[in-house]
Amino acid sequence: MVSDPSQTPPAGPAPGPSPEVSVVVPVFNESGAAPDLAREIAAAFAGWPVEILFVDDCSRDDTRERLAALKTEIPALRLLAHSVNSGQSRAVRTGVLAARGEIIVTLDGDGQNDPADAPKLVDALRAGPSDLALVGGERVRRQDSAAKKIASRIGNGVRRRLLRDTANDTGCGLKAFRREAFLRLPYFDHIHRYLPALMLREGYSTLFLPVGHRPRTSGASKYTNLGRLWASASDLLGVMWLQSRARRPGPVAEL
């Protein structure tokens, strides 16, 4: 039987002490933002047992080369590369599969998430109850266009009403979650926007904290309001179906 190579994590770095936290950053054509973002992440987690995984989703610019040049400067940096452009959710999953930390932090690769906010999400996750699997950021004072903010407000409202996931801003890329919990979730494209609902479906709890948001200073957004609306319609129906088919066994005892 031939295994599915998309389910197999790529080889990691040389064996050594496992990091506690793995920061996963999907990037596509982010040559202008990615190098400085890598440095900011390293500074935010200075002194932590951490690894930083950038997943290049088959960029057409020199994102990959500029990040590779930083590996000596940032020893915690790992660079994974897709051979086919597969989208943000697949890039996140590639990073999670390759990660060695029990806690995953994700950030968008455009630099709009502030890495300085990430440690407080990790601290909240570690300090929470045993069933807390995800601490998500909720952007305050968003630095986006009026049209994007209005579309996001409407989309978040509809999703929250239909899925009852209690999240006000699932579009925020800054999240901290338990790797084991994430790998229990059914995978599909755009899953990154439905992590709170899917975590709740598995019986976990979630928490949300305010985080900063910065203007984009380079590159271009990979999403349009119309494209996001088209995908969201089918995604919402799919997640509602998954919720309707969930059956949890309660506490499991080994006899």
Side-chain angles (χ1 to χ4, degrees):
M1 178 177 178
V2 178
S3 62
D4 180 356
S6 69
Q7 307 301 311
T8 304
S18 292
E20 179 184 2
V21 177
S22 297
V23 183
V24 174
V25 187
V27 285
F28 175 63
N29 292 347
E30 294 291 358
S31 175
D36 285 343
L37 180 59
R39 293 186 178 100
E40 285 189 282
I41 295 169
F45 284 98
W48 288 58
V50 68
E51 63 178 356
I52 304 167
L53 295 92
F54 273 72
V55 183
D56 180 70
D57 192 25
C58 201
S59 292
R60 295 188 293 268
D61 63 6
D62 63 345
T63 298
R64 189 177 303 183
E65 291 75 16
R66 295 196 66 190
L67 285 170
L70 290 177
K71 295 183 73 173
T72 301
E73 177 185 338
I74 307 174
L77 178 63
R78 297 172 59 190
L79 179 58
L80 309 177
H82 284 175
S83 58
V84 177
N85 180 262
S86 303
Q88 182 175 350
S89 284
R90 178 57 77 176
V92 168
R93 192 165 192 269
T94 293
V96 174
L97 286 170
R100 297 184 298 152
E102 294 182 359
I103 294 176
I104 305 294
V105 171
T106 60
L107 299 95
D108 287 339
D110 57 14
Q112 289 193 264
N113 298 138
D114 188 346
D117 288 322
K120 74 176 181 182
L121 301 189
V122 176
D123 286 339
L125 183 60
R126 293 192 301 187
S130 60
D131 69 337
L132 180 62
L134 178 145
V135 178
E138 291 187 346
R139 293 166 289 186
V140 296
R141 295 183 294 278
R142 282 187 62 176
Q143 303 298 305
D144 285 323
S145 67
K148 181 176 274 190
K149 287 189 282 190
I150 291 170
S152 179
R153 189 176 302 119
I154 293 171
N156 276 308
V158 171
R159 187 214 67 257
R160 187 171 60 249
R161 182 178 180 86
L162 292 177
L163 301 183
R164 301 182 298 279
D165 60 11
T166 73
N168 294 317
D169 183 18
T170 61
C172 180
L174 181 53
K175 299 179 177 72
F177 52 81
R178 301 192 185 280
R179 181 177 185 269
E180 178 187 9
F182 178 88
L183 294 177
R184 289 176 180 265
L185 306 181
Y187 173 77
F188 55 90
D189 197 19
H190 294 178
I191 187 180
H192 63 279
R193 295 185 177 278
Y194 298 93
L195 291 183
L198 294 171
M199 290 289 188
L200 293 174
R201 176 181 181 268
E202 288 297 313
Y204 297 111
S205 65
T206 58
L207 175 68
F208 303 95
L209 298 176
V211 297
H213 193 240
R214 309 186 295 192
R216 177 185 272 276
T217 58
S218 65
S221 175
K222 311 307 184 290
Y223 298 97
T224 65
N225 288 339
L226 183 60
R228 187 173 291 160
L229 175 64
W230 178 257
S232 296
S234 60
D235 290 343
L236 273 171
L237 291 174
V239 176
M240 290 171 67
W241 180 84
L242 284 170
Q243 288 179 324
S244 73
R245 303 301 294 170
R247 298 179 68 181
R248 295 201 297 270
V252 177
E254 182 173 356
L255 305 178

